[in-house]
Short mmCIF file of all heavy atoms in Angstrom, two decimals:
data_model
loop_
_atom_site.label_atom_id
_atom_site.label_comp_id
_atom_site.label_asym_id
_atom_site.label_seq_id
_atom_site.Cartn_x
_atom_site.Cartn_y
_atom_site.Cartn_z
N PHE A 14 31.73 126.51 63.04
CA PHE A 14 32.88 126.33 63.81
C PHE A 14 33.27 124.92 64.03
O PHE A 14 32.30 124.09 64.27
CB PHE A 14 32.61 127.00 65.19
CG PHE A 14 33.84 127.41 65.98
CD1 PHE A 14 34.54 128.52 65.56
CD2 PHE A 14 34.19 126.71 67.08
CE1 PHE A 14 35.66 128.92 66.37
CE2 PHE A 14 35.27 127.13 67.82
CZ PHE A 14 35.97 128.24 67.48
N LEU A 15 34.48 124.51 63.75
CA LEU A 15 34.88 123.22 64.06
C LEU A 15 35.92 123.12 65.29
O LEU A 15 36.79 123.95 65.28
CB LEU A 15 35.65 122.62 62.89
CG LEU A 15 34.87 122.20 61.65
CD1 LEU A 15 35.88 121.77 60.48
CD2 LEU A 15 34.00 120.92 61.93
N VAL A 16 35.59 122.29 66.22
CA VAL A 16 36.51 122.15 67.36
C VAL A 16 37.01 120.69 67.58
O VAL A 16 36.17 119.76 67.60
CB VAL A 16 35.78 122.59 68.65
CG1 VAL A 16 36.60 122.36 69.88
CG2 VAL A 16 35.39 124.09 68.63
N ASN A 17 38.33 120.52 67.76
CA ASN A 17 38.80 119.18 68.00
C ASN A 17 38.47 118.94 69.49
O ASN A 17 38.74 119.79 70.44
CB ASN A 17 40.34 119.17 67.77
CG ASN A 17 40.95 117.87 68.06
OD1 ASN A 17 40.58 117.20 68.95
ND2 ASN A 17 41.98 117.55 67.25
N ILE A 18 37.78 117.79 69.75
CA ILE A 18 37.35 117.58 71.14
C ILE A 18 38.64 117.45 72.04
O ILE A 18 38.37 117.64 73.31
CB ILE A 18 36.35 116.41 71.24
CG1 ILE A 18 37.15 115.00 70.80
CG2 ILE A 18 35.21 116.58 70.51
CD1 ILE A 18 36.34 113.86 71.19
N ASP A 19 39.80 117.14 71.61
CA ASP A 19 40.93 117.10 72.49
C ASP A 19 41.29 118.48 72.98
O ASP A 19 42.05 118.62 73.93
CB ASP A 19 42.06 116.51 71.71
CG ASP A 19 41.89 115.02 71.35
OD1 ASP A 19 41.13 114.31 72.06
OD2 ASP A 19 42.55 114.51 70.38
N HIS A 20 40.80 119.55 72.39
CA HIS A 20 41.14 120.94 72.80
C HIS A 20 40.14 121.49 73.87
O HIS A 20 40.19 122.57 74.20
CB HIS A 20 41.23 121.82 71.57
CG HIS A 20 42.43 121.49 70.67
ND1 HIS A 20 43.67 121.85 71.09
CD2 HIS A 20 42.47 120.81 69.58
CE1 HIS A 20 44.55 121.37 70.13
NE2 HIS A 20 43.81 120.69 69.24
N ILE A 21 38.99 120.67 74.14
CA ILE A 21 38.07 121.20 74.98
C ILE A 21 38.52 120.73 76.42
O ILE A 21 38.75 119.56 76.74
CB ILE A 21 36.70 120.43 74.79
CG1 ILE A 21 36.17 120.91 73.37
CG2 ILE A 21 35.69 120.86 75.93
CD1 ILE A 21 34.94 120.19 73.00
N THR A 22 38.70 121.80 77.30
CA THR A 22 39.07 121.60 78.69
C THR A 22 38.00 121.26 79.56
O THR A 22 38.05 120.58 80.63
CB THR A 22 40.04 122.65 79.27
OG1 THR A 22 39.19 123.89 79.17
CG2 THR A 22 41.28 122.78 78.40
N SER A 23 36.80 121.91 79.35
CA SER A 23 35.61 121.61 80.03
C SER A 23 34.37 122.14 79.24
O SER A 23 34.50 122.90 78.44
CB SER A 23 35.63 122.30 81.47
OG SER A 23 35.62 123.65 81.30
N ALA A 24 33.23 121.58 79.57
CA ALA A 24 32.07 122.02 78.94
C ALA A 24 30.93 122.20 80.13
O ALA A 24 30.83 121.37 80.96
CB ALA A 24 31.50 120.89 77.96
N HIS A 25 30.15 123.24 79.93
CA HIS A 25 29.15 123.65 80.86
C HIS A 25 27.82 123.70 80.23
O HIS A 25 27.67 124.62 79.33
CB HIS A 25 29.46 124.95 81.57
CG HIS A 25 30.88 125.05 82.06
ND1 HIS A 25 31.29 124.68 83.30
CD2 HIS A 25 32.05 125.55 81.43
CE1 HIS A 25 32.61 124.87 83.36
NE2 HIS A 25 33.01 125.39 82.30
N TYR A 26 26.93 122.76 80.58
CA TYR A 26 25.61 122.65 79.94
C TYR A 26 24.44 123.02 80.93
O TYR A 26 24.52 122.52 81.96
CB TYR A 26 25.40 121.22 79.37
CG TYR A 26 24.03 121.07 78.80
CD1 TYR A 26 23.88 121.45 77.41
CD2 TYR A 26 23.03 120.43 79.31
CE1 TYR A 26 22.57 121.29 76.87
CE2 TYR A 26 21.80 120.19 78.77
CZ TYR A 26 21.65 120.65 77.53
OH TYR A 26 20.46 120.49 76.90
N ARG A 27 23.61 123.84 80.45
CA ARG A 27 22.46 124.21 81.38
C ARG A 27 21.16 124.16 80.41
O ARG A 27 21.11 124.93 79.49
CB ARG A 27 22.61 125.65 81.90
CG ARG A 27 21.43 126.02 82.84
CD ARG A 27 21.60 127.41 83.33
NE ARG A 27 21.10 128.36 82.22
CZ ARG A 27 21.44 129.47 82.02
NH1 ARG A 27 22.20 130.06 82.95
NH2 ARG A 27 21.11 130.26 80.96
N ALA A 28 20.33 123.16 80.77
CA ALA A 28 19.10 123.05 79.94
C ALA A 28 18.16 124.17 80.12
O ALA A 28 18.23 124.79 81.23
CB ALA A 28 18.40 121.74 80.45
N GLY A 29 17.52 124.57 79.11
CA GLY A 29 16.60 125.76 79.16
C GLY A 29 15.40 125.33 79.87
O GLY A 29 14.95 124.15 80.14
N ASP A 30 14.63 126.40 80.47
CA ASP A 30 13.50 126.24 81.17
C ASP A 30 12.67 127.44 81.01
O ASP A 30 13.01 128.53 81.36
CB ASP A 30 13.75 126.13 82.67
CG ASP A 30 12.52 125.80 83.56
OD1 ASP A 30 11.48 125.31 82.95
OD2 ASP A 30 12.61 126.03 84.74
N GLY A 31 11.53 127.22 80.33
CA GLY A 31 10.65 128.49 79.92
C GLY A 31 11.29 129.45 79.16
O GLY A 31 11.66 129.05 78.02
N GLU A 32 11.49 130.72 79.58
CA GLU A 32 12.10 131.73 78.69
C GLU A 32 13.56 131.67 78.83
O GLU A 32 14.28 132.42 78.03
CB GLU A 32 11.60 133.17 79.11
CG GLU A 32 10.17 133.28 78.86
CD GLU A 32 9.62 134.66 79.07
OE1 GLU A 32 10.57 135.63 79.14
OE2 GLU A 32 8.41 134.85 79.24
N VAL A 33 14.15 130.87 79.72
CA VAL A 33 15.65 130.69 79.71
C VAL A 33 16.20 129.80 78.72
O VAL A 33 15.71 128.64 78.73
CB VAL A 33 16.11 130.29 81.24
CG1 VAL A 33 17.52 130.02 81.24
CG2 VAL A 33 15.59 131.21 82.20
N LYS A 34 17.01 130.28 77.83
CA LYS A 34 17.50 129.37 76.72
C LYS A 34 18.50 128.38 77.34
O LYS A 34 19.19 128.66 78.16
CB LYS A 34 18.27 130.26 75.60
CG LYS A 34 17.34 131.05 74.75
CD LYS A 34 18.19 131.75 73.74
CE LYS A 34 17.23 132.57 72.85
NZ LYS A 34 18.00 133.20 71.82
N THR A 35 18.61 127.27 76.60
CA THR A 35 19.51 126.22 76.79
C THR A 35 20.94 126.93 76.53
O THR A 35 21.05 127.70 75.54
CB THR A 35 19.44 125.14 76.00
OG1 THR A 35 18.12 124.44 76.24
CG2 THR A 35 20.56 124.00 76.09
N ARG A 36 22.00 126.57 77.32
CA ARG A 36 23.24 127.22 77.21
C ARG A 36 24.38 126.16 77.18
O ARG A 36 24.39 125.30 78.11
CB ARG A 36 23.58 128.25 78.24
CG ARG A 36 24.89 128.87 78.25
CD ARG A 36 24.90 129.85 79.53
NE ARG A 36 26.05 130.78 79.37
CZ ARG A 36 27.13 130.45 79.76
NH1 ARG A 36 27.54 129.36 80.29
NH2 ARG A 36 28.26 131.31 79.75
#
Side-chain angles (χ1 to χ4, degrees):
F14 201 73
L15 286 172
V16 173
N17 182 320
I18 64 169
D19 293 336
H20 294 283
I21 298 173
T22 58
S23 66
H25 310 277
Y26 178 78
R27 183 185 72 202
D30 184 23
E32 292 186 21
V33 176
K34 287 185 177 182
T35 299
R36 178 183 190 275

